[in-house]
Amino acid sequence: MSLETAYRVQRAAVGRRISGGARVVGHKAGVTSQAMQEQMGVDEPDSGVLLDDMVLPAGSTLARAGLMQPRVEAEIAFRLGCDLAGPSVSVGDARAAVDKMCLALEVIDTRFATWRITVADSIADNASCARVVTGPMVPLRADMDPAAEQLVVSVNGTTVATGEGRAVLGDPLRVLVWLAGRLHRSGDRLRAGQLVLAGAVHASLPLETWSTVRACSPHLPPVELRVH
């Protein structure tokens, strides 16, 4: 299956959920690190659509039984203050379009039994996105560098992963550039008010029952998710 076919499957599946009352609130990017791209045999990220019933506030409790094979990733997320569109968006344009940013925990999941999937499989399944927990939003100040932000992830109080923002395409803001270009090719755009997940800064972690996952960084408020 080609990537374009996979995106058509994704659009059809998302469209059915929208017809059922769901509302688009943003986008997610995946396979944004060089290591993951090499592992999956691709030379660009993939993306999925965030719907309102997928996004939860910080401190939420999630029922593990409602998912299949969930894993969790800590990410930097951006909220746009204006539209971002076209094939020639720069990193400066992307930064200027950001209203606020936050830490986020993305719960990824798959219908495939073993996580042995191709990028096309993931794209068709809405880039494997199941839930998103967002932390408190803060303005992207002039003195803040998302690429240098150091994320620390803990499970039940024990540090299990770390990663810098620069693990994502060298700079998380480049995800906005890439997404604007990809959406432009399908006649769409990033829109004011939308949330964009920039991709994991570390390898995904199994999401276990009765655990508390927390991500923190020097300049962004922490985000926490409880699982039962």
Side-chain angles (χ1 to χ4, degrees), residues 163-185:
E164 278 190 312
R166 70 181 77 257
V168 178
L169 299 184
D171 185 339
L173 291 167
R174 290 180 182 164
V175 170
L176 299 177
V177 174
W178 176 80
L179 261 175
R182 201 202 71 71
L183 292 173
H184 174 76
R185 294 194 294 274

Side-chain angles (χ1 to χ4, degrees), residues 96-113:
V98 172
D99 175 27
K100 294 184 178 181
M101 61 186 293
C102 68
L103 293 179
L105 293 169
E106 181 187 1
V107 177
I108 58 174
D109 204 355
T110 180
R111 290 172 172 81
F112 291 80

